[in-house]
């Protein structure tokens, strides 16, 4: 259709489709295609993975680039990050590494960053579960504190105006919803530095009848012609007796509400009260109740809150960092202080320190992942590949190496078995749990999800190769090893009858260790060299010679003039510094975890196998699981599957060979021989995953099958006896 004369030009089909999908996901604003922002800029749109239907079924296409998976981005840095998500061996990252233009955000996201001073014409009922919960958790005791402070200020006589203010605020904080706190203009003078001839009229208008304020404004007590000395005395009494306890209470409330994340509106309200409302003269503060009307207020609005809880605050970020990662950062400091200051466990016990160290790994894994994504997005391919290969598995390797070192120093073989259980648990979890959860949660929103079966087939082939190579020494030892049992009993009381034996294992050190040193150990070293070589060949295959498998194309589907300069959250040097500091803290937390895991291993009634395959294996991978779920919710299951496959491939092709190489320089008695349970669980998981991914499409039922199989394997590990040496 031709645009009308003088009217705005209609957007192309690509523009309208991009806008519809972005608005459906709730990530961007609801600006129509072709609408322009101030200064002649139009709102760009972002879709992490938009594909052409002729080639892939991940989403709609951009008509200008048929036959390729088309990625649209706001700037070159985001485009590079999105492209890296599809590259084999690169860490998949969902969050933005650059600041998103404010105009591109949806109204839901904009509300998260508001200052709670916007009056809504139709906000609905204020009686909600979240508001009632606010009263039960915070409102009653905060209102009671204001009543006590009001009584104290009335007793001082000179602080009576502040006492009346505290009385009004007590009613406000008991139920602040649907009420407003205003900053009145001072009669005959400026208000906030903006005075003029209209100031007295505005002050008088604030006392007039208004439908919005529900009738006449409440009369306020004002001292008759207060002098400067009386005001100074009242302010001194307020700053000495009234403000400190209230400021402390609001600080504690702000901290608690911020930690609860979804109560961040309460934290904002509390911080704004302590910084602005309580520091204003009492005659300049007015608390009123609003009604459902559109008549504007005359004075400045300081606070206006309608909801204490907002479920969308899980999207809230601080300098690009998710609020949950920000809240968990103090936990890292507490863990390090308790772990290295309280070495004799006078303040806390070893299980508590182990739990804290394990929980501290989660935010550190997030910071490492974001730093890697930021550096890769701002660098060329070579630098990004080196950073991903070097630090991509640093979280797991720090724990494994510290555990092996501690086991070698103490002569405890249990640490080696725990490391093997964690390696197997990571492999099984990334093959079954990660894609299974993504299929189930993504299937709730999308009836059927499709993915690039050929790219998934490349990862599956590498996974088959890696699993076969890792367990080759184990199968070799089963064939040629000597079965040795700790204790045997004759069941039939007949010398030729049946014997029941316990603690049986294949001994590789018989005949003076000839079998191990002459056959098994060379096989382990050979496998440890071949697996990284296969990984490099896979990189060269997918990123160089056969990059068309992924068909990634960066295209600008925006209107002419859609150009926003990239404002990165973390520069390359800042990201590198955070990466190094996070790695250092990760090493310290891993050292504390291995230092205080001994009581759990010796006193726990749960099998050490279960502890290794669950807690030690999957806790460091929680940020990756969250990324996979977010991709699945956006109908981008290819990246969800690749997250699990890439981690599993890195476990077999990089982490295990590095551990074997480390034992050459630092003897830790780590042998690449796994128990039968690890072999069967890993082989079965890989076969099942390849069967599920065969047709390139899936639904929530297939995801449920993967999750259920994973739960069955966990039950097997839970009831399995502890490994020998523990």
């Amino acid at each position: 259709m031709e645009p009308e004369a003088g009217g705005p030009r209609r957007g192309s089909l690509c523009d309208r489709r991009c806008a519809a999908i972005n608005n459906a996901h709730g990530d961007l604003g609801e600006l129509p295609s072709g609408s322009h922002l101030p200064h002649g800029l139009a709102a760009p749109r972002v879709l992490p993975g938009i594909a052409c239907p002729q080639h892939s079924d991940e989403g709609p296409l951009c008509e200008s680039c048929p036959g390729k998976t088309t990625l649209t981005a706001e700037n070159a840095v985001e485009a590079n990050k999105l492209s890296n998500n599809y590259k084999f061996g690169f860490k998949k990252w969902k969050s933005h590494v650059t600041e998103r233009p404010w105009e591109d955000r949806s109204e839901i996201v904009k509300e998260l960053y508001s200052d709670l001073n916007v009056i809504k014409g139709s906000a609905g009922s204020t009686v909600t579960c979240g508001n009632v919960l606010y009263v039960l958790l915070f409102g009653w005791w905060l209102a009671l504190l204001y009543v006590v402070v009001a009584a104290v200020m009335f007793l001082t006589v000179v602080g009576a105006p502040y006492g009346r203010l505290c009385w009004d605020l007590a009613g406000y904080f008991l139920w602040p919803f649907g009420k407003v706190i205003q900053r009145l203009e001072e009669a005959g003078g400026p208000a906030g530095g903006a005075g003029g001839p209209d100031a007295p009229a505005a002050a008088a208008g604030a006392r007039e009848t208004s439908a919005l304020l529900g009738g006449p404004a409440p009369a306020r007590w004002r001292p008759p012609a207060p002098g400067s000395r009386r005001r100074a005395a009242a302010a001194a009494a307020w700053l000495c007796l009234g403000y400190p306890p209230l400021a402390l209470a609001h600080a504690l409330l702000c901290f608690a509400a911020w930690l609860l994340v979804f109560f961040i509106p309460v934290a904002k309200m509390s911080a704004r009260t302590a910084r602005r409302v309580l520091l204003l003269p009492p005659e300049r503060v007015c608390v009123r109740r609003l009604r459902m009307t559109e008549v504007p207020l005359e004075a400045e609005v300081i606070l206006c809150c309608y909801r204490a809880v907002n479920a969308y605050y899980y999207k809230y970020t601080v300098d690009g960092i998710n609020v949950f990662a920000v809240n968990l950062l103090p936990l890292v400091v507490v863990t390090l202080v308790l772990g290295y200051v309280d070495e004799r466990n006078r303040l806390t016990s070893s299980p508590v320190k182990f739990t804290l160290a394990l929980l501290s790994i989660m935010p550190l894994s997030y910071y490492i992942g974001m730093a890697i994504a930021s550096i890769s997005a701002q660098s060329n391919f070579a630098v990004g590949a080196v950073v991903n290969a070097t630090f991509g598995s640093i979280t797991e390797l720090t724990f494994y190496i510290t555990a092996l070192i501690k086991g070698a120093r103490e002569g405890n073989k249990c640490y080696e078995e725990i490391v093997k259980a964690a390696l197997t648990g990571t492999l099984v979890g990334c093959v079954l749990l990660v894609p299974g959860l993504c299929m189930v949660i993504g299937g709730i929103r999308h009836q059927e999800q499709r993915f690039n079966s050929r790219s998934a087939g490349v990862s599956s082939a590498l996974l088959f190769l890696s699993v076969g190579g890792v367990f080759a020494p184990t199968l070799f030892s089963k064939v040629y090893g000597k079965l040795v049992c700790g204790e045997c009993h004759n069941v039939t009381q007949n010398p030729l009858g049946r014997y029941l034996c316990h603690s049986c294992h294949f001994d590789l050190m018989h005949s003076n260790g000839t079998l191990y040193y002459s056959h098994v150990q060379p096989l382990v070293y050979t496998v440890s060299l071949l697996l990284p070589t296969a990984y490099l060949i896979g990189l060269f295959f997918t990123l160089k010679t056969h990059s068309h498998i992924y068909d990634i194309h960066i295209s600008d589907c925006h209107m002419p003039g859609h150009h926003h300069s990239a404002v990165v959250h973390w520069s390359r040097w800042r990201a590198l510094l955070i990466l190094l500091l996070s790695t250092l803290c990760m090493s310290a937390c891993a050292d504390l975890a291995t230092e205080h895991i001994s009581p759990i291993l010796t006193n726990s009634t749960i099998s050490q196998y279960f502890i290794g395959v669950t807690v030690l294996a999957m806790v460091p991978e929680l940020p990756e699981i969250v990324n996979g779920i977010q991709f699945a919710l956006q109908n981008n299951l290819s990246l969800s599957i690749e997250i699990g496959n890439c981690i599993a491939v890195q476990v077999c092709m990089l982490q295990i060979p590095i551990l074997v190489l480390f034992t050459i320089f630092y003897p830790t008695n780590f042998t690449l021989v796994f128990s039968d349970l690890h072999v069967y669980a890993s082989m079965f998981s890989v076969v099942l995953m390849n069967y599920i991914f065969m047709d390139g499409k899936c639904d929530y039922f297939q995801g449920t099958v993967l999750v259920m199989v994973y739960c069955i394997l966990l039950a097997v590990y839970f009831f399995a006896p502890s490994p020998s040496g523990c």
Side-chain angles (χ1 to χ4, degrees), residues 693-707:
F693 295 163
M694 192 177 299
D695 55 354
K697 58 183 179 180
C698 63
D699 47 42
Y700 75 90
F701 176 74
Q702 293 176 324
T704 304
V705 171
L706 293 178
V707 175

Side-chain angles (χ1 to χ4, degrees), residues 150 153-154 159-170 218-221 282:
M153 297 309 297
F154 277 121
Y162 288 98
R164 181 57 185 269
L165 173 63
C166 290
W167 180 261
D168 293 343
L169 292 178
R220 297 190 58 81
W221 181 89

